[in-house]
Amino acid sequence: MSPMLSAILVALLPLASASAVLDRRPAAVAPVDPLITPSPTVENAVTRTVKRGFVDDLKNNANSILSDLGSAIPSYVASGVPNFFQDFPVGKDVREKLGITDEQVDALPTSVLNIPGYGNWTDQGWNLRFHGNVYKQPNTSEEKLNDLSNIFLIDTSIEKLPPDQAAQARNLTASIFVLQQDNERVVFDLKPAPTAGASGEPGGGGAVTPKGGNQEIVFPINTTTEGDFDGFVQINDNGLADGNSTNDIQRLNVYTRGSNIGNATAYLVPPTGLTIISDIDDILRITKIYQPKEGLLNSFARPFVAWKNMPEIYANWSRSIPDFHFHYLTTTPEQITRNYMDFIYKTYPGGSFDTRPLNFSDVSATLSIRKFLLTKVFETYPKRRFVLVADTSNSDVMKDYPQLAKDFPGQVACIFLRNTSATDDGDRFPYDTSGFKDLDRKSYMFFKVPLARPTVRSQQGQCSIALHHGHQLAGDLCCWVGRDVDMKAAAAAAAVGQK
């Protein structure tokens, strides 16, 4: 067994009761804001061919599992895609709702949402993915923002919220009512990144600060109609370690020219190793996406709160597993992802990000974009192995995660799914385990609550999972120990596979 697989046997998340801890965050490393950093001036301009990152022709993957329960139950609940994450206004709709003129728009400064990217090594060197959105933020009055905020609230209003929650609701609403800028040229400055994230490990995650990498990158293609840019660009080495000679993940700060809030951290990831792809809602933070009223308040007004002790679990992974690449994927639209990125970088190990670009706007496209983004990561790293973490409230996750194990044999090390319906009385909707048919039962696990202290036992390349009724389940990769493994969900998935 390789040292990497031995490490994951020791460090992977155990399953057991953790009733006392609701929001424990590692404190060894101070939070670092990845979005607001003075932009330096560097030399060595690079302009290379870019590979486009958008899908031109996606099929509709919408597959509601509630069709037999009647039309009164909204399908977006089952899919984990609430209707308040759909159909955000863009372009002319924003101008009409805000009542602003072309002259007023022209006078506004340009801003950039720069999403933390990932890079891969090829025979030609390092290729780094740049993606985000260029927009203008109108000067909207508080009174107008109050009116617009009430659109997104159920059975309450911004006037009834506490002052801090009302302020957050206005800020998030303002980020929705922005004007995307098409045909814009985007220029970046790259610098070595000393820290990123709050994992409890020096430097803030499973990555190192490279000795070089300073350069300017001119993104070769102007922004789309929706203001998006997305693609891989070959970058100069300039002191970076070659991907075929190091196992280290190298951090780079990516500063956007002309925008004080257009900064992020990117990760150069070697061809081999272990990557975790983690969902965020209802696994890393309390969202209750299956309860629209609570989901709205938790997303638009209330401060983001970690789900139980997951920050401690991820910090343990970051410390225990060498060169562990963290990748966070959410299908929430770009306009509201700053809060997500800020929360992750203050609470979890630093890592690359994926969000829903603006050309995926309705429910069916949202269900398609998760599979597309997952596939993009797998195809970018054909020799890496992946740990997939999410919850059962997303029908696309329940379909896409096991399908990846079939489409990319040998690359999916483990699939870990929180069973939200078993741990939250508010989630009363069934989930579909048919996607796990024919998967090795030792390669996935449904769980209820995490435990802070791992007690994994490894023998001869296998791992024993002590269950609450005293039985054991042997596995070579999915190795969690606990008293609260969700046997009902595991049995349901196994039953499907036996038919």
Side-chain angles (χ1 to χ4, degrees), residues 148-405:
L148 296 173
S149 297
N150 285 331
I151 298 173
F152 303 104
L153 299 174
I154 298 176
D155 294 336
T156 188
S157 66
I158 196 168
E159 292 78 14
K160 297 179 181 178
L161 296 176
D164 60 330
Q165 294 186 20
Q168 177 164 313
R170 280 191 292 268
N171 288 337
L172 198 58
T173 301
S175 70
I176 294 171
F177 287 87
V178 296
L179 298 164
Q180 289 75 27
Q181 301 299 296
D182 66 338
N183 200 34
E184 290 286 338
R185 178 173 175 265
V186 190
V187 181
F188 304 97
D189 293 316
L190 305 186
K191 296 279 287 184
T195 59
S199 69
E201 180 187 7
V208 301
T209 304
K211 295 181 180 179
N214 298 281
Q215 58 196 281
E216 176 190 89
I217 298 294
V218 180
F219 197 77
I221 299 177
N222 288 358
T223 57
T224 66
T225 302
E226 296 87 3
D228 285 328
F229 59 91
D230 189 345
F232 285 88
V233 180
Q234 186 177 344
I235 64 175
N236 285 332
D237 293 345
N238 287 2
L240 296 170
D242 290 349
N244 58 1
S245 64
T246 182
N247 292 322
D248 291 334
I249 299 169
Q250 301 173 81
R251 281 188 305 258
L252 289 172
N253 280 334
V254 182
Y255 304 97
T256 307
R257 289 273 183 93
S259 176
N260 289 331
I261 59 173
N263 307 322
T265 302
Y267 296 81
L268 302 180
V269 183
T272 61
L274 198 63
T275 291
I276 177 174
I277 301 180
S278 180
D279 195 12
I280 298 175
D281 287 309
D282 291 312
I283 182 67
L284 300 188
R285 64 171 288 249
I286 298 172
T287 310
K288 297 182 181 291
I289 210 166
Y290 34 80
Q291 293 179 277
K293 179 179 178 180
E294 285 297 297
L296 278 164
L297 289 173
N298 290 332
S299 298
F300 280 87
R302 295 169 180 162
F304 282 17
V305 176
W307 180 62
K308 294 191 179 293
N309 60 320
M310 290 300 283
E312 192 172 348
I313 301 275
Y314 274 46
N316 179 57
W317 279 0
S318 178
R319 289 189 296 263
S320 304
I321 304 176
D323 309 313
F324 200 11
H325 170 217
F326 290 84
H327 183 71
Y328 302 96
L329 192 156
T330 175
T331 56
T332 54
E334 284 176 340
Q335 298 103 310
I336 62 174
T337 53
R338 283 196 190 277
N339 280 9
Y340 278 77
M341 292 190 292
D342 182 66
F343 167 73
I344 289 296
Y345 271 70
K346 289 179 178 177
T347 316
Y348 290 96
S352 49
F353 247 87
D354 261 319
T355 64
R356 188 209 317 168
L358 293 183
N359 58 340
F360 295 86
S361 59
D362 60 18
V363 172
S364 62
T366 301
L367 296 178
S368 298
I369 188 60
R370 187 189 297 274
K371 178 64 179 298
F372 167 63
L373 294 173
L374 286 167
T375 301
K376 178 195 286 286
V377 179
F378 272 70
E379 291 179 343
T380 301
Y381 303 106
K383 296 181 180 180
R384 290 186 73 85
R385 304 200 73 190
F386 295 88
V387 176
L388 308 178
V389 182
D391 66 276
T392 58
S393 68
N394 294 280
S395 68
D396 53 334
V397 163
M398 297 296 290
K399 179 181 179 182
D400 294 342
Y401 273 18
Q403 188 61 45
L404 286 167

Side-chain angles (χ1 to χ4, degrees), residues 11-34:
L12 280 175
L13 172 63
L15 301 178
S17 176
S19 58
V21 182
L22 292 179
D23 188 19
R24 296 179 61 185
R25 303 182 180 184
V29 177
V32 177
D33 191 319

Side-chain angles (χ1 to χ4, degrees), residues 61-69 78-79 391-403 406 415 417 419-421 427 429-437 439 444 446 488-490 492-497 499:
N61 287 342
N63 181 24
S64 173
I65 62 174
L66 297 182
S67 58
D68 57 341
L69 298 182
S79 63
D391 66 276
T392 58
S393 68
N394 294 280
S395 68
D396 53 334
V397 163
M398 297 296 290
K399 179 181 179 182
D400 294 342
Y401 273 18
Q403 188 61 45
K406 300 171 185 177
I415 299 174
L417 294 168
N419 186 354
T420 52
S421 62
D427 184 6
F429 303 102
Y431 51 88
D432 187 355
T433 60
S434 62
F436 292 84
K437 182 180 180 180
L439 282 193
Y444 61 88
F446 297 86
K488 183 177 180 181
V496 171
K499 290 182 179 179

